[in-house]
């Protein structure tokens, strides 16, 4: 009975983890990568926060959702904490990714080396233009007909789709992605997309980010 209660409490705790928390875990992992590259073996939450302009209390709170990783009088072992964070974020396994759209953005994303370094394997590009189908990106990623998405996604175990198509076609492409059984979508197309509750969608709107910067510059100019 005690074990059952403990498991239920653990599940409830993980259910409360917000997306902001997981985003911060990614930041912590990048900081630990930098420390490991620099040969740092141990670090306290206070030192980690001070070096990378983070919040020590927030670091401890975020990590507490997943267990106790610090050692009294020592702090965190950098490589051990790196390994734990990679497991928590699911990066201890290869994640296979397909990119919808073989335009300039799609091709640039396909050949970005940072994805592979973090465990994301870009397996395929998909497009509707026959002139592109059968070609490859500069890095050698093959371009397939989007009508073959379901077959290739199942055959190759693709778990994440990236949407890099013009806005008018994005919802139709997302529908094809969902029909293929892919449950995680990263969207670079502007606008709102609809997906079922069991599909996780994250959108990156570059225009919104630029407009936010424009607002900052406009306010700064107004104060001169």
């Amino acid at each position: 009975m005690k074990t059952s209660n403990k498991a239920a409490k653990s599940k409830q705790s993980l259910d409360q983890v917000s997306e902001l928390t997981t985003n911060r875990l990614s930041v912590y992992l990048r900081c630990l990568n930098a420390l490991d590259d620099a040969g740092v073996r141990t670090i306290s939450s206070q030192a980690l926060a001070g070096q990378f302009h983070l919040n020590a209390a927030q670091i401890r709170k975020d990590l507490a959702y997943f267990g106790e990783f610090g050692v009294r009088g020592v702090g965190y072992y950098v490589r051990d904490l790196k390994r734990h964070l990679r497991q928590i974020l699911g990066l201890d396994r290869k994640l296979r990714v397909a990119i919808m759209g073989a335009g300039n953005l799609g091709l640039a994303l396909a050949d970005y080396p940072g994805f592979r370094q973090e465990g994301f394997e870009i397996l395929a590009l998909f497009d509707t233009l026959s002139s592109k189908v059968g070609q490859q990106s500069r890095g050698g990623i093959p371009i397939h007909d989007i009508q073959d998405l379901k077959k290739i996604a199942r055959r190759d175990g693709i778990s994440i789709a990236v949407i890099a198509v013009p806005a008018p076609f994005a919802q139709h492409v997302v529908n094809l992605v969902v029909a293929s059984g892919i449950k995680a979508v990263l969207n670079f197309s502007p606008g709102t997309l609809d997906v079922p509750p069991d599909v996780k969608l994250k959108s990156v709107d570059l225009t919104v980010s630029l407009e936010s910067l424009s607002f900052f510059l406009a306010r700064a100019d107004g104060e001169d």
Side-chain angles (χ1 to χ4, degrees):
M1 183 64 69
K2 289 183 179 178
T3 302
S4 180
N5 288 341
K6 184 177 180 181
K9 184 178 180 181
S10 176
K11 184 180 187 303
Q12 183 180 18
S13 177
L14 290 180
D15 286 343
Q16 295 172 352
V17 175
S18 70
E19 192 161 334
L20 287 174
T21 300
T22 60
N23 289 344
R24 288 193 296 268
L25 293 183
S26 295
V27 173
Y28 304 157
L29 180 57
R30 281 167 175 74
C31 296
L32 292 166
N33 285 336
L35 292 170
D36 193 23
D37 290 342
V40 177
R41 294 183 60 193
T42 63
I43 193 165
S44 67
S45 59
Q46 201 68 44
L48 181 62
Q51 186 165 342
F52 295 100
H53 309 291
L54 302 172
N55 182 301
Q58 187 69 66
I59 293 172
R60 293 192 294 270
K61 181 180 178 181
D62 290 339
L63 295 179
Y65 278 115
F66 306 95
E68 296 182 9
F69 305 110
V71 177
R72 187 179 297 276
V74 175
Y76 302 110
Y77 287 100
V78 171
R79 288 192 176 179
D80 285 348
L81 187 54
K82 264 183 58 176
R83 177 171 52 82
H84 286 303
L85 289 184
R86 289 187 64 82
Q87 290 173 343
I88 291 166
L89 292 169
L91 299 176
D92 54 335
R93 57 202 169 98
K94 285 289 184 182
L95 292 166
R96 295 176 172 178
V97 181
I99 296 175
M100 308 298 118
N104 291 334
L105 177 58
L107 291 169
L109 292 170
D111 290 339
Y112 175 60
F115 293 141
R116 187 176 296 274
Q117 292 169 8
E118 292 301 322
F120 297 95
E121 185 178 5
I122 310 296
L123 281 188
L125 286 144
F126 290 88
D127 209 282
T128 58
L129 293 179
S130 57
S131 59
K132 293 185 178 182
V133 173
Q135 303 297 315
Q136 295 183 344
S137 71
R138 289 184 178 181
I141 308 301
I143 303 173
H144 301 280
D145 191 318
I146 200 165
Q147 297 303 320
D148 295 327
L149 173 59
K150 181 181 289 189
K151 176 182 68 178
I152 295 173
R154 291 180 176 176
R155 182 194 71 193
D156 295 344
I158 292 171
S159 54
I160 299 176
V162 177
I163 309 300
V165 301
F169 308 107
Q171 186 62 59
H172 173 66
V173 171
V174 166
N175 294 343
L176 294 175
V177 166
V178 171
S180 74
I182 296 172
K183 298 296 185 183
V185 179
L186 178 61
N187 172 44
F188 280 91
S189 295
T192 303
L193 300 178
D194 294 321
V195 296
D198 63 337
V199 174
K200 177 65 175 178
L201 171 71
K202 283 185 68 72
S203 292
V204 179
D205 194 323
L206 300 177
T207 302
V208 169
S209 297
L210 287 171
E211 287 170 351
S212 177
L213 292 172
S214 175
F215 173 77
F216 168 78
L217 292 173
R219 285 180 61 85
D221 290 343
E223 293 172 357
D224 290 343

